[in-house]
Amino acid sequence: MIVFFYLFALISLILALGVLVFKNPIHSALSLVGTFFCLAAIYVMLNAEFVAVIQVLVYAGAIMVLFLFVLMLLSTKDNDQYALKLNVSRGLAVAITGVLMIQVLTAFMDPTLRFGEPGAYPVERIQEIGSIALIGQLLFTEFVLPFEVISILLLVAVIGAVIIAKRRVP
Amino acid sequence: MNLLLEILSIPLVQTILKIVFMIMLFAMPLGTLMTLMERKWSAMVQDRVGPNRANVGSFRGHGLAHIAADGLKSIFKEDTMPEGSDRFLYLIAPFFGLIAGVSVFAIVPIAAPIGSFTFQITDIEPGLLFIFAITSLSVYGAVLAGASSNSKFALLGGTRASAQMISYEVFMGLALMGIFMVYGSTRVSEIVDGQNAYWFGSLIPKWGILTQPLGFLLFTTALVAETKRAPFDAPEGESEIVAGYFLEYSGMRWSAFMLAEYVAIVGVAALVTTLFFGGYHVPWLHLWESAPEWLVRVLQFAKFTAFVVFFCWFQIQLRWTVPKFRFDQTMALGWKKLLPLSLANTVATAAVILIFV
């Protein structure tokens, strides 16, 4: 099992690097799809099949297809403008991300943080209830307020999209 | 002999055997047969004879030899590559659809389990959501083929395909919400077993088509649109954009697109049978209590296959019966009619379950 984790982690890191390095934006987008797949595989190993499936369905299946859709329509033969060049702002971004990464890594090095107390929903309980049923129950009881707030946020986005699309029609 | 039985009892070996059976002996042969069936049936519809010239010696088999002839032809045909195409994407694009097509069979059960042995490759909890995830990937085949071919027609076909498939995916999931609610699970085996119950004693089986008639229509429409066949064949639209996204392909890669289409037909038929027509359950078979177990399994497999073949035929008949939609009509139908309908179906089902059950 642990072998598979390292395998998928390695592939997803390589593909994530590919997103940055590839000159052709379509290749970058495809690398991102591959990264999402590896993440989904890791979710499966964490007993979160539902999250894994939704990851593939929403990110790889819908959002990235829209990315590709736009890239296809805008694609130019001149891909050099997307090439990885270093300038001040990018250097700054690399530095900040580096600091953040060191912080996360030090947190993970702390052995006391690795295995905390088991929560209310250990793996056995999730498998007994079923992860989809459990997520549904929690969403409509304990987390009903955040759930509804997100629904309103998405509704606003949908209405905004409709208005932008309508504007062109006289 | 004992060693053989021991090897066969390893779960991994069983899974591999199941995969080989479902894909090599069920999905692929049916898909290949469909290519001939479509040519023959379209000929019948249009009052022609259809393909019957290919022969092995004096054997023609009413055109059966054409399957082998087609395969051989596409193997030996030159695999052309348009100038300025994106080499790597152009080479891998045909196989996305094929992989997505065969993945459907991973969760379709073909007979009732014997003890702990199931006639289903895997029975994961997300079940049908897995199917949605996988079919949403078949878009990549069309998109990448369109984007990498360096051809305006292919690009147009690719954009049409991606727009159409994303649109129809949206309510494909919504159309099934009713089924999830009625049978209380997303697990395929539980949905199939739920359809083995009966109304009025043992008079009418609780098939999905009877509990969710609107859901059946919406889901089947969405699936047919996902296969990009007539009446939803605007991405290929031969009268406007020649052949759409796979215009530049030839030889074996073109065949991969075709095979993906026909495997998808079989997949659609298998899904519709499983979700709306009781899956492998033979209705009223439980009344015959002394039926031997092996005979029950054989009957179940026969019933499943019969329904799958029927729905394959149904899709072919659909293609040669109805006129195709213009592309804007396809999109308007999806977003303005079928999406609100599937939402209404979800709400209505939930209300009925809340009030009466």
Side-chain angles (χ1 to χ4, degrees):
Chain A
M1 221 44 182
I2 200 80
V3 177
F4 281 110
F5 170 77
Y6 282 114
L7 181 70
F8 284 119
L10 187 71
I11 297 173
S12 74
L13 279 180
I14 291 171
L15 287 172
L17 205 64
V19 178
L20 298 173
V21 173
F22 281 130
K23 273 187 183 173
N24 187 335
I26 293 182
H27 291 180
S28 296
L30 269 187
S31 305
L32 197 53
V33 175
T35 316
F36 288 148
F37 254 94
C38 294
L39 282 185
I42 291 173
Y43 285 138
V44 170
M45 283 186 282
L46 292 172
N47 288 298
E49 287 101 347
F50 181 69
V51 182
V53 167
I54 294 298
Q55 166 93 6
V56 174
L57 181 62
V58 175
Y59 285 97
I63 293 179
M64 288 316 292
V65 177
L66 288 179
F67 270 52
L68 276 178
F69 190 86
V70 174
L71 288 175
M72 252 163 70
L73 293 177
L74 300 180
S75 76
T76 52
K77 289 280 163 268
D78 175 35
N79 287 325
D80 281 342
Q81 49 176 317
Y82 303 107
L84 200 63
K85 284 184 207 120
L86 223 60
N87 54 28
V88 179
S89 61
R90 279 179 180 164
L92 207 64
V94 170
I96 293 173
T97 334
V99 170
L100 281 175
M101 199 176 103
I102 289 167
Q103 203 157 18
V104 172
L105 278 181
T106 40
F108 271 98
M109 289 302 163
D110 186 358
T112 54
L113 272 177
R114 268 194 207 164
F115 302 103
E117 290 289 306
Y121 300 102
V123 175
E124 298 78 31
R125 181 115 189 266
I126 292 173
Q127 275 169 350
E128 185 191 312
I129 309 173
S131 61
I132 296 176
L134 191 62
I135 289 172
Q137 281 165 13
L138 285 179
L139 268 188
F140 285 102
T141 53
E142 211 177 322
F143 299 101
V144 70
L145 185 68
F147 178 70
E148 292 299 334
V149 170
I150 289 173
S151 321
I152 291 170
L153 193 69
L154 289 175
L155 186 67
V156 170
V158 168
I159 293 171
V162 169
I163 285 174
I164 290 172
K166 266 254 171 242
R167 199 172 286 161
R168 283 188 222 133
V169 182
Chain B
M1 193 62 202
N2 277 335
L3 184 72
L4 192 67
L5 278 176
E6 214 159 276
I7 292 172
L8 282 178
S9 66
I10 303 170
L12 186 67
V13 175
Q14 289 182 354
T15 309
I16 291 171
L17 283 178
K18 283 182 207 169
I19 293 173
V20 168
F21 176 81
M22 280 309 280
I23 292 172
M24 289 303 170
L25 297 176
F26 191 78
M28 285 293 184
L30 259 181
T32 342
L33 266 179
M34 278 309 127
T35 59
L36 183 70
M37 191 170 154
E38 172 136 273
R39 295 172 71 183
K40 278 304 222 187
W41 194 260
S42 63
M44 291 250 296
V45 171
Q46 297 167 341
D47 201 14
R48 293 183 282 119
V49 180
N52 65 350
R53 293 291 103 182
N55 57 59
V56 183
S58 61
F59 172 75
R60 284 183 179 163
H62 297 283
L64 265 177
H66 271 273
I67 295 178
D70 285 347
L72 277 176
K73 177 189 152 194
S74 51
I75 288 172
F76 289 114
K77 217 171 164 181
E78 188 192 349
D79 190 6
T80 57
M81 187 177 292
E83 217 173 291
S85 63
D86 192 322
R87 227 186 127 74
F88 177 66
L89 296 185
Y90 184 83
L91 292 181
I92 62 165
F95 302 104
F96 278 91
L98 204 54
I99 292 168
V102 294
S103 302
V104 170
F105 296 93
I107 58 147
V108 173
I110 54 170
I114 301 175
S116 63
F117 181 81
T118 54
F119 290 94
Q120 182 183 15
I121 294 172
T122 174
D123 192 24
I124 48 174
E125 200 209 345
L128 287 160
L129 299 173
F130 168 77
I131 293 299
F132 296 154
I134 291 296
T135 49
S136 69
L137 294 179
S138 60
V139 188
Y140 282 104
V143 173
L144 293 181
S148 65
S149 288
N150 192 26
S151 151
K152 292 285 183 288
F153 288 130
L155 189 68
L156 280 173
T159 47
R160 281 184 181 192
S162 54
Q164 175 178 322
M165 290 171 87
I166 291 183
S167 310
Y168 278 73
E169 253 160 41
V170 173
F171 72 87
M172 181 169 82
L174 276 173
L176 271 194
M177 286 303 153
I179 284 283
F180 294 157
M181 281 188 270
V182 170
Y183 300 108
S185 182
T186 52
R187 212 184 270 273
V188 180
S189 62
E190 282 173 32
I191 293 175
V192 171
D193 284 339
Q195 297 180 73
N196 199 25
Y198 292 83
W199 279 306
F200 314 117
S202 53
L203 194 62
I204 304 169
K206 276 191 185 171
W207 279 3
I209 179 132
L210 300 173
T211 54
Q212 283 285 312
L214 187 59
F216 165 69
L217 279 179
L218 292 167
F219 185 66
T220 314
T221 315
L223 278 179
V224 171
E226 286 285 308
T227 58
K228 300 186 286 295
R229 284 165 59 81
F232 300 102
D233 66 341
E236 294 168 21
E238 61 268 4
S239 53
E240 315 135 27
I241 50 174
V242 195
Y245 55 91
F246 59 82
L247 167 65
E248 300 289 343
Y249 283 86
S250 70
M252 228 25 223
R253 288 178 205 285
W254 179 85
S255 296
F257 276 113
M258 282 296 112
L259 197 58
E261 181 180 325
Y262 287 99
V263 169
I265 293 176
V266 183
V268 168
L271 275 183
V272 169
T273 309
T274 306
L275 297 175
F276 294 97
F277 291 88
Y280 54 77
H281 282 299
V282 186
W284 306 293
L285 192 67
H286 67 284
L287 297 177
W288 183 26
E289 276 157 12
S290 61
E293 206 169 54
W294 64 269
L295 186 62
V296 171
R297 299 301 181 283
V298 170
L299 282 177
Q300 283 172 338
F301 181 61
K303 183 256 182 182
F304 178 78
T305 314
F307 270 70
V308 167
V309 170
F310 172 79
F311 282 107
C312 291
W313 168 82
F314 175 78
Q315 289 173 75
I316 288 173
Q317 179 66 49
L318 192 71
R319 174 172 175 181
W320 297 99
T321 307
V322 288
K324 73 184 240 189
F325 288 115
R326 229 171 40 223
F327 187 61
D328 59 320
Q329 288 172 329
T330 309
M331 298 304 276
L333 178 77
W335 286 105
K336 293 182 183 164
K337 297 202 177 73
L338 299 179
L339 180 65
L341 260 182
S342 55
L343 278 172
N345 184 44
T346 310
V347 174
T349 312
V352 167
I353 290 176
L354 196 66
I355 296 168
F356 295 107
V357 183

